[in-house]
Amino acid sequence: MTSTAASRAYGTDSTFASFHDGLALIGRVLLAYLFIPAGWGKLVGFSGVAGYIASKGVPLPEVAAAIAIAAELGLGLLLLVGWQARRAALGLAVFVAVITPIFHPFWSAPEAQHMMQKLNFDKNLAILGGLLALAAFGAGRFSLDAMRGKA
């Protein structure tokens, strides 16, 4: 492989690096778009969320709702601006991994809900994959982490 081809393959060419950083920004914004409004909705509808969590058999539903708000709203905002993005993505990945089988148990869902629960379960696995990739590769140059030299 020539040095030019190697630099393009590994993202060291400035054009390709800018492209990759742009993709990282778009990815962060889209992931944040999922979590921030969900966290805000939980915050303003706290009692209803706690009731729903309780209906799933989760102990201490108010605490669980507060954790969900902190994860979705707090970590989602960190992801959006790219501050501590690797840690925020990893935290959200753990959150998604824990809640997915609790709230989307397609294997025990009634027949009428099976397909929708399976779809949401699979969607969450894909989101988990995106979060793990962000945790592995960082927020990119267009982030607060990059401004601090931590991207």
Side-chain angles (χ1 to χ4, degrees):
M1 184 181 290
T2 67
S3 63
T4 302
S7 68
R8 286 185 179 156
Y10 298 110
T12 57
D13 180 76
S14 64
T15 303
F16 285 95
S18 292
F19 179 70
H20 292 155
D21 291 326
L23 290 177
L25 173 63
I26 292 167
R28 284 195 347 261
V29 168
L30 291 174
L31 284 167
Y33 175 74
L34 176 69
F35 289 107
I36 294 170
W40 179 256
K42 286 175 178 64
L43 181 64
V44 299
F46 188 84
S47 61
V49 170
Y52 177 69
I53 291 171
S55 78
K56 295 295 187 174
V58 176
L60 303 169
E62 291 84 8
V63 173
I67 291 169
I69 292 166
E72 292 178 344
L73 189 57
L75 297 176
L77 286 168
L78 291 178
L79 223 75
L80 180 64
V81 298
W83 188 62
Q84 298 288 319
R86 289 176 189 251
R87 289 181 176 147
L90 193 56
L92 281 168
V94 169
F95 174 74
V96 170
V98 169
I99 68 161
T100 296
I102 296 169
F103 292 96
H104 302 296
F106 65 90
W107 53 89
S108 63
E111 185 62 35
Q113 296 177 10
H114 184 270
M115 184 187 323
M116 185 55 69
Q117 291 301 329
K118 175 75 165 109
L119 178 68
N120 283 316
F121 186 92
D122 292 345
K123 170 194 58 82
N124 279 14
L125 290 182
I127 292 165
L128 179 60
L131 290 165
L132 291 174
L134 183 58
F137 298 108
R141 190 169 38 129
F142 306 129
S143 67
L144 292 178
D145 285 345
M147 293 171 71
R148 296 175 41 240
K150 304 279 185 182

